[in-house]
Amino acid sequence: MRLLIVEDEKRLATSLARGLSAEGYVVDVAHDGVDGLHLARERDYDLIVLDIMLPGLNGYRVCSQLRADGDETPILMLTAKDGEYDEAEGLDTGADDYLTKPFSYVVLQARIRALLRRRTRAGALVLRIGDLTVDPDARRVERAGTEISLTAREFAVLEHLARHAGQVVSKADILAGVWDFAYDGDPNIVEVYVSVLRRKIDVPFGRRSIRTVRGAGYRLEPGGRDA
């Protein structure tokens, strides 16, 4: 899942991004309201963590403009302010939840999970491709009723393929969807993860569900028996 953090306190933003990335989220960061609004409009996010006191555009205006655009991405607002009127204003502009600084990282994690669960229930986001089930909310993968253990990054790659099941997904698309937008490493890292996924979700079950489309990318299919 991809998150956007819009926070002008760079140390806090870096700390949050590092922690959430370690849990398997793909995290983009903006340090002012203008850049945050631009990213939110340009990319699809599962959740936005949005500070209120931002340079350029404050969080209230970013939130209200996204809602005016018809963007229903869950928004968790952060602020150093404290008071019921601040909370009311944030919620009135369309935020889904509100957290006052200083806050516990554990509480932030819980709020994020709760908002993502709410969206999952509303959008029925459990992904099924043949006998393969990918549950983004529970971070759970099963094939033919057997649970498969994946690392956070392996799960993110599989989830990206599952969300585009039946379609050809290029290496560049996978990099953009699973690694952050600033990634400038070797794109062949995608091949490594696809190879690992095949060993975990296909080989033990005699399946061939991740297909290589030469010169184009990969396609996730229901997967017949491997001959």
Side-chain angles (χ1 to χ4, degrees), residues 16 39 44 56 66 95 106 134 142 162 164 172 178-179 196 216 220 222-223:
L16 294 179
L39 281 175
D44 291 327
L66 288 174
V106 173
V134 180
E142 291 185 355
H164 300 86
V178 176
W179 281 262
V196 172
L220 182 64

Side-chain angles (χ1 to χ4, degrees), residues 113-134:
R113 287 195 299 267
L115 289 173
L116 292 174
R117 277 197 301 272
R118 191 183 308 168
R119 190 183 199 197
T120 300
R121 286 195 296 270
L125 292 179
V126 175
L127 307 166
R128 292 182 174 83
I129 306 90
D131 62 356
L132 179 69
T133 301
V134 180

Side-chain angles (χ1 to χ4, degrees), residues 144-158:
T146 300
E147 185 170 359
I148 301 168
S149 177
L150 300 180
T151 67
R153 188 73 74 181
E154 290 163 3
F155 184 92
V157 173
L158 179 60

Side-chain angles (χ1 to χ4, degrees), residues 1 3-4 11 40 45 62 108 113 117 119 126 135 140 144 159 161 169 179 200 202 214-216 218 222 224 226:
M1 289 191 174
L3 309 183
L4 172 62
R11 289 181 62 185
Y45 291 100
V62 173
L108 175 75
R113 287 195 299 267
R117 277 197 301 272
R119 190 183 199 197
V126 175
D135 186 340
R140 183 184 180 95
E159 180 188 352
L161 290 170
V169 184
W179 281 262
K200 290 189 174 185
D202 279 351
R214 190 174 299 277
Y218 304 96
D226 200 352

Side-chain angles (χ1 to χ4, degrees), residues 67-148:
R67 295 306 187 230
D69 291 344
D71 190 329
E72 298 182 354
T73 303
I75 293 176
L76 173 60
M77 276 194 162
L78 305 179
T79 183
K81 291 176 151 185
D82 190 11
E84 61 182 8
Y85 294 109
D86 299 321
E87 181 174 356
E89 186 174 356
L91 297 175
D92 284 345
T93 59
D96 297 273
D97 202 354
Y98 182 99
L99 197 56
T100 302
K101 300 175 184 176
F103 54 82
S104 161
Y105 179 68
V106 173
V107 172
L108 175 75
Q109 290 176 298
R111 298 287 185 90
I112 288 174
R113 287 195 299 267
L115 289 173
L116 292 174
R117 277 197 301 272
R118 191 183 308 168
R119 190 183 199 197
T120 300
R121 286 195 296 270
L125 292 179
V126 175
L127 307 166
R128 292 182 174 83
I129 306 90
D131 62 356
L132 179 69
T133 301
V134 180
D135 186 340
D137 179 44
R139 305 287 181 95
R140 183 184 180 95
V141 175
E142 291 185 355
R143 167 143 262 166
T146 300
E147 185 170 359
I148 301 168

